[in-house]
Amino acid sequence: MFPIRLEQVHFTPNGRAVLAGVDLCVDGEGITLILGPNGAGKTVLLRVLAGLERIHGGSVAWNGAGAPAERIAMVFQHPVLLRTTVADNAGLGLRPLGLSRPEVQRRAADVLGRVGLSHRARDSARHLSGGERQRLALARAWAVRPRLLLLDEPTAALDPTATEAVESIVREIRTGGAKVLMTTHNLGQAMRLADDIVFIEAGRVREHSPAARFFSRPQSQEARLFIRGELPWRIAFPD
Amino acid sequence: MGSTLLDAISLLAHLDPQVLAIVWLSFQVSLGATALGSLVGLLLGTWIAVAEFPGRAAVTVLLNGMMGMPPVVLGVIVYLALSRSGPLGTLGLLYSPTAMVIAQTLLVTPLIAALARQTVEDAWSDYRIELTALGFDRRLAVLTLLHDCRYSLVVAVLAGLGRAMSEVGAVMIVGGNIDGFTRVMTTAIALETAKGDLPLSIALGLVLISVVVALNALAFGLRQWAMRRYG
Ligand SMILES: Nc1ncnc2c1ncn2[C@@H]1O[C@H](COP(=O)(O)OP(=O)(O)OP(=O)(O)O)[C@@H](O)[C@H]1O
Ligand SMILES: [Mg+2]
């Protein structure tokens, strides 16, 4: 289903140009980070790829086809967990697949082990901390063995340790053969994880480059200003 | 007054057969009505919550309004339908326990449906996108939703049972309060008080209050437990 080719994708709810002609080509390897200011259209772009929004113009082609041939999973910025156990939530995405109950339980237990939540399996999912919830949401998406994983700011409200835990899970998912497409506002994280960077502003892709080049020699003026404005070590300390 | 209360307690303590018969019929009628009302109400409420059709808002408003339907008015409507010259007159159901079940079913169905609609609709707006992204079709999503809301839905059913047990207007009109046949707690209380048999009224009143308080305590406890267990 790769490459995914977006051409002049427009998303204009109530006439408002949220995506204003997105051109982008994503291949099936590695981790692609989507950066851009608040309201740029990052979340909407992920939702379009997840098939949750109908676009108003342009095209999305999955290796030339109109629909993805393999499984896609998306983890939302604020994942909703069912009022049941951690283990049941981990296996939720397997319900539509018609797997046997033991197989669902086996896979749920497996992903919980991978994200370090085995000891919480019998607890209520709604009693988890923010970082644990995010790991459970990742486990839930991982359990369906997606070929493409979409992550919307998976570490937005997490402390450094929890962030690191999520990042190493994301790396492991990539190593397992899934393409990862994720958004973040954490430039340090982008440097640590990204193979390539897509920079979005005002509903358009301004730049798409390999990570190293993006941070050392951004091609667009917008990206240059964004990096300068967002980098934590640019904060001016009093002398 | 003190001796009246003692007489009432004595009726209860000796398991007076007349009291027992009345209480038993109350339970039969109201449980039957709540069972039927739950079947229809839960399905109807769920359907309104997740379906998309023109006039959905109007249906919701109507349903919420019918939660407050005065039982007496409903009694009159069922009376007219079941009376000799009414459309269902040939069934000969008026002044029977069946008529009382019909009236109470019509009373509790909108209540249960309206409560279920609210519960399921809230859950649906929370889960819809997430379940869609996980590849759930609508049928499976709704089943998952209902399971997730199970405790709130049981509470809705208990609310329906409480309303059925404590209403008097509908069963009075369609049941006729016939001694040993269609007399339930509420109608007996109304009649015996008017006749001056206060011990019987008070005894039945105590039972009724206990039942209603117990139902509410059950609903409350279930909610607390579910909150603590599942968040
Ligand atoms: N269905 C919709 N209808 C109308 N406007 C929408 C809709 N979806 C998104 N928008 C608007 O599109 C813009 C981009 O939203 P989006 O959530 O993609 O931003 P973002 O890049 O993810 O920002 P953030 O960094 O704050 O998460 C926002 O201004 C948002 O209000
Ligand atoms: Mg966003």
Side-chain angles (χ1 to χ4, degrees):
Chain A
M1 67 177 186
F2 295 97
I4 312 167
R5 200 177 291 278
L6 291 84
E7 272 170 18
Q8 281 302 303
V9 168
H10 282 79
F11 178 65
T12 51
N14 312 316
R16 191 162 163 246
V18 170
L19 295 183
V22 168
D23 290 306
L24 180 64
C25 184
V26 178
D27 68 17
E29 309 295 319
I31 301 177
T32 299
L33 265 287
I34 302 174
L35 300 181
N38 290 133
K42 305 180 293 295
T43 299
V44 167
L45 179 60
L46 292 187
R47 291 169 61 103
V48 165
L49 292 172
L52 297 170
E53 304 283 4
R54 189 190 294 273
I55 58 177
H56 302 106
S59 64
V60 180
W62 305 79
N63 192 20
E70 288 166 277
R71 214 165 279 140
I72 299 176
M74 176 158 179
V75 177
F76 296 87
Q77 188 176 355
H78 303 287
V80 180
L81 302 174
L82 293 187
R83 292 185 195 88
T84 175
T85 61
V86 168
D88 280 351
N89 271 281
L92 183 67
L94 304 175
R95 283 192 207 173
L97 304 185
L99 301 173
S100 70
R101 219 181 151 72
E103 174 67 4
V104 169
Q105 287 168 349
R106 201 188 57 71
R107 280 219 220 167
D110 176 55
V111 287
L112 282 183
R114 287 165 186 266
V115 302
L117 284 175
S118 295
H119 62 296
R120 305 297 304 270
R122 311 288 339 141
D123 293 345
S124 166
R126 297 226 170 164
H127 292 160
L128 295 179
S129 75
E132 291 165 337
R133 278 167 177 248
Q134 204 52 257
R135 275 189 281 152
L136 175 55
L138 274 171
R140 180 164 80 185
W142 200 359
V144 306
R145 301 187 181 155
R147 179 66 181 84
L148 172 63
L149 180 61
L150 307 167
L151 306 175
D152 195 12
E153 298 190 36
T155 61
L158 305 189
D159 72 23
T161 314
T163 299
E164 203 182 294
V166 166
E167 287 177 10
S168 78
I169 293 167
V170 171
R171 277 197 202 90
E172 206 185 320
I173 292 175
R174 187 255 323 257
T175 308
K179 167 75 187 188
V180 178
L181 205 56
M182 70 180 264
T183 68
T184 186
H185 285 293
N186 180 335
L187 289 198
Q189 174 169 69
M191 288 181 182
R192 289 191 293 278
L193 284 180
D195 292 303
D196 55 331
I197 305 269
V198 174
F199 179 73
I200 297 191
E201 201 224 10
R204 283 200 185 84
V205 173
R206 303 291 176 173
E207 182 159 351
H208 182 189
S209 348
R213 195 175 80 196
F214 180 83
F215 287 111
S216 58
R217 279 172 288 117
Q219 304 297 297
S220 62
Q221 180 64 16
E222 293 91 346
R224 211 168 296 141
L225 291 171
F226 179 78
I227 295 172
R228 209 188 281 162
E230 296 270 332
L231 276 184
W233 51 86
R234 294 277 316 176
I235 295 168
F237 292 104
D239 306 312
Chain B
M1 183 68 220
S3 76
T4 308
L5 190 59
L6 283 182
D7 288 346
I9 291 170
S10 148
L11 278 176
L12 293 175
H14 293 101
L15 301 175
D16 178 79
Q18 193 191 2
V19 171
L20 285 189
I22 292 171
V23 171
W24 175 228
L25 184 65
S26 288
F27 270 97
Q28 281 179 298
V29 168
S30 295
L31 281 173
T34 307
L36 289 172
S38 300
L39 202 69
V40 179
L42 293 178
L43 281 174
L44 184 66
T46 303
W47 181 72
I48 295 172
V50 303
E52 282 149 27
F53 57 92
R56 189 168 159 276
V59 171
T60 302
V61 170
L62 187 70
L63 193 64
N64 287 344
M66 279 170 67
M67 279 203 292
M69 166 79 92
V72 205
V73 175
L74 196 78
V76 172
I77 294 168
V78 175
Y79 176 90
L80 292 175
L82 295 182
S83 67
R84 191 88 47 83
S85 53
L88 302 173
T90 51
L91 298 175
L93 289 174
L94 199 60
Y95 302 133
S96 73
T98 308
M100 296 156 76
V101 172
I102 292 171
Q104 288 199 344
T105 300
L106 294 176
L107 186 69
V108 300
T109 301
L111 173 67
I112 295 172
L115 294 174
R117 195 229 18 112
Q118 187 68 56
T119 299
V120 174
E121 197 171 299
D122 290 349
W124 185 231
S125 74
D126 282 353
Y127 296 153
R128 170 184 205 146
I129 294 293
E130 194 97 35
L131 293 180
T132 308
L134 284 170
F136 282 58
D137 61 24
R138 188 165 279 230
R139 193 190 62 88
L140 190 58
V142 168
L143 288 177
T144 304
L145 222 59
L146 289 178
H147 183 259
D148 200 69
C149 302
R150 58 199 178 278
Y151 298 106
S152 301
L153 295 177
V154 171
V155 169
V157 169
L158 290 176
L161 183 58
R163 176 141 161 90
M165 297 281 312
S166 55
E167 72 89 16
V168 55
V171 276
M172 183 74 99
I173 292 176
V174 304
N177 194 32
I178 302 166
D179 197 2
F181 185 49
T182 60
R183 182 166 294 184
V184 290
M185 286 192 272
T186 52
T187 57
I189 291 170
L191 185 80
E192 296 309 320
T193 306
K195 279 189 359 197
D197 186 352
L198 287 179
L200 183 55
S201 290
I202 292 173
L204 291 172
L206 289 173
V207 175
L208 191 53
I209 289 172
S210 313
V211 169
V212 171
V213 169
L215 285 177
N216 279 290
L218 193 62
F220 181 82
L222 190 66
R223 231 191 218 134
Q224 292 290 102
W225 179 82
M227 274 307 268
R228 210 161 327 115
R229 178 69 189 86
Y230 295 110

